[in-house]
Amino acid sequence: MKKITSLVFALTILLTGLTLIFGTNADANTISVKERSDYSLKEAELLFIDFLKNKNLNSEVGSEEFTKYAIEQFYSESMDADLLKSPYYGVLMAYISEYVYAYETTIKNTDNANFINDTKDVEIKAELNQKLAIQKEKTIGEVEREIAAEEAIAEATKTKNSAALASGTYNVTAAKAYAKKWWNGRNPNYESYSLDCTNFTSQILRAGGKNMKQPRTITPIVNSDTNYWYYTTVSRVGVPVDVRSSSWSVVSDFYAYWNKTQPTKASTSKSQLVTYADVGDMIQFMKKDATRYSHTMFVYKKGNSTLYLSGHTDNYLERSFYDISSIWVKYRVIKF
């Protein structure tokens, strides 16, 4: 009898240990501690939900408050101190990156104020949920390897003068003139967003002479396609609607489109990129442990061993590269 009792006790201890090691997906409290890259995005979502609950925020996936918090942490230079000091910061930031990317390549724009109205469209809701479901089956490591592989393929097949992509002579003087005119304002010919950085840099490129590339048929929503680059107006039930490709205003997709033809360089060293970049180029920024870049700025001037950058979201005409917040830890230049 004692042997049976001891065996049951030993098995209980063993099973308890296995639960602690491997965890389950039931809730955040049962997720094991492991390497960041080994967490699934499904587990990361549960941890994010738990994090928001502890902050007394709406933790329902897709809700206005949930989305607003994720977007602000992904884009903003001022991040929540609670998130930064969380022991799960790296896992949470990876989930935030993928959630925001799924959201902004599905919903009309990245302004949370428009989220509720836009997502009344059942098909759009379904597409958003489908994108999230696909990503949640992967680990953070798998997601990062996929992104790296996609960029490597684009780099390996790069063609400088591909007729399939937008062309046009780039006039840096005209691009600078546009940046100077609109750095602290919004051109009424384009829909503007509070998170406006890449939308603004696309406008600069267009003003500098880069031609837009459009498909024959354009649906009246954001079009997640990195083979085109455009901003235009179409009719939706007789009403003119501004539409764009995701490459026009989404940081990752802007890069994916232009990386097909333009020289690029990524580094954690600002000094290396100061040497590499010239006036007229674009620079993107990535936060620590994010899976995707979250900001784009235009090189307005170069001198005094630095780059002076123009951009929106936080409006600047000539901000020194070295004054950019250390919240961003990696950078890449797209040369034009």
Side-chain angles (χ1 to χ4, degrees):
M1 185 69 179
K2 286 183 179 180
K3 287 184 179 180
I4 294 174
T5 303
S6 298
L7 180 60
V8 170
F9 179 74
L11 286 172
T12 301
I13 293 296
L14 176 61
L15 291 172
T16 301
L18 289 174
T19 301
L20 289 172
I21 293 170
F22 294 106
T24 73
N25 290 329
D27 57 55
N29 294 324
T30 60
I31 296 174
S32 61
V33 176
K34 48 193 168 187
E35 292 294 323
R36 170 183 169 276
S37 61
D38 293 331
Y39 282 90
S40 70
L41 267 294
K42 186 182 296 183
E43 292 174 316
E45 180 177 83
L46 290 172
L47 289 169
F48 187 55
I49 289 169
D50 190 59
F51 174 80
L52 293 181
K53 285 179 180 177
N54 290 332
K55 290 183 66 66
N56 295 315
L57 296 175
N58 188 339
S59 61
E60 180 185 351
V61 179
S63 68
E64 181 176 354
E65 198 165 29
F66 182 101
T67 303
K68 182 178 180 181
Y69 183 87
I71 285 174
E72 287 177 348
Q73 301 315 303
F74 184 65
Y75 284 108
S76 178
E77 199 166 300
S78 301
M79 293 184 68
D80 178 18
D82 290 336
L83 177 62
L84 289 171
K85 67 184 181 184
S86 168
Y88 292 107
Y89 165 80
V91 179
L92 298 176
M93 197 64 213
Y95 175 76
I96 286 170
S97 302
E98 292 307 303
Y99 176 82
V100 172
Y101 182 71
Y103 169 77
E104 67 182 357
T105 53
T106 306
I107 308 305
K108 185 181 177 186
N109 62 52
T110 55
D111 272 349
N112 195 58
N114 296 321
F115 179 77
I116 297 175
N117 290 333
D118 289 336
T119 52
K120 284 181 179 177
D121 189 317
V122 175
E123 291 182 3
I124 294 177
K125 277 185 177 180
E127 184 182 345
L128 174 60
N129 290 333
Q130 182 181 30
K131 285 182 179 180
L132 289 173
I134 292 171
Q135 292 304 87
K136 285 191 292 186
E137 292 304 311
K138 304 171 186 175
T139 66
I140 294 171
E142 288 171 339
V143 168
E144 291 179 324
R145 287 190 291 274
E146 283 183 3
I147 293 171
E150 289 170 3
E151 293 178 356
I153 291 170
E155 189 67 30
T157 58
K158 184 175 293 186
T159 53
K160 180 64 180 175
N161 296 304
S162 173
L165 301 176
S167 58
T169 302
Y170 185 44
N171 185 322
V172 175
T173 300
K176 286 186 63 177
Y178 187 91
K180 185 174 183 179
K181 182 176 182 178
W182 294 109
W183 73 271
N184 201 30
R186 300 294 188 270
N187 186 340
N189 293 323
Y190 295 96
E191 188 172 3
S192 63
Y193 319 114
S194 59
L195 305 166
D196 198 55
C197 65
T198 309
N199 178 39
F200 182 51
T201 53
S202 282
Q203 291 174 37
I204 292 172
L205 285 178
R206 184 73 188 97
K210 283 298 182 182
N211 296 328
M212 291 189 286
K213 178 69 177 179
Q214 301 178 198
R216 289 186 177 181
T217 303
I218 300 175
T219 53
I221 57 173
V222 59
N223 291 278
S224 184
D225 194 330
T226 59
N227 290 317
Y228 299 97
W229 178 73
Y230 63 87
Y231 184 101
T232 190
T233 302
V234 299
S235 176
R236 186 177 193 180
V237 197
V239 178
V241 180
D242 290 338
V243 297
R244 55 180 169 77
S245 60
S246 58
S247 58
W248 183 271
S249 59
V250 176
V251 179
S252 296
D253 287 3
F254 178 90
Y255 177 83
Y257 179 83
W258 289 109
N259 186 42
K260 292 180 174 72
T261 58
Q262 305 304 123
T264 61
K265 182 179 179 66
S267 178
T268 58
S269 168
K270 286 184 176 180
S271 61
Q272 282 187 15
L273 296 185
V274 168
T275 300
Y276 180 74
D278 293 303
V279 176
D281 295 343
M282 301 295 173
I283 296 188
Q284 296 191 324
F285 305 79
M286 179 186 279
K287 292 182 176 179
K288 183 177 184 295
D289 287 325
T291 57
R292 299 179 189 269
Y293 285 75
S294 58
H295 192 40
T296 312
M297 297 187 80
F298 169 69
V299 181
Y300 184 80
K301 188 170 75 173
K302 182 174 181 176
N304 301 318
S305 300
T306 189
L307 305 172
Y308 294 94
L309 310 177
S310 300
H312 274 183
T313 299
D314 294 319
N315 299 342
Y316 291 97
L317 178 62
E318 297 183 26
R319 188 179 191 189
S320 172
F321 190 20
Y322 288 102
D323 288 340
I324 297 293
S325 171
S326 59
I327 204 74
W328 281 289
V329 298
K330 188 177 180 181
Y331 323 92
R332 63 187 178 194
V333 171
I334 309 170
K335 292 192 69 66
F336 289 93

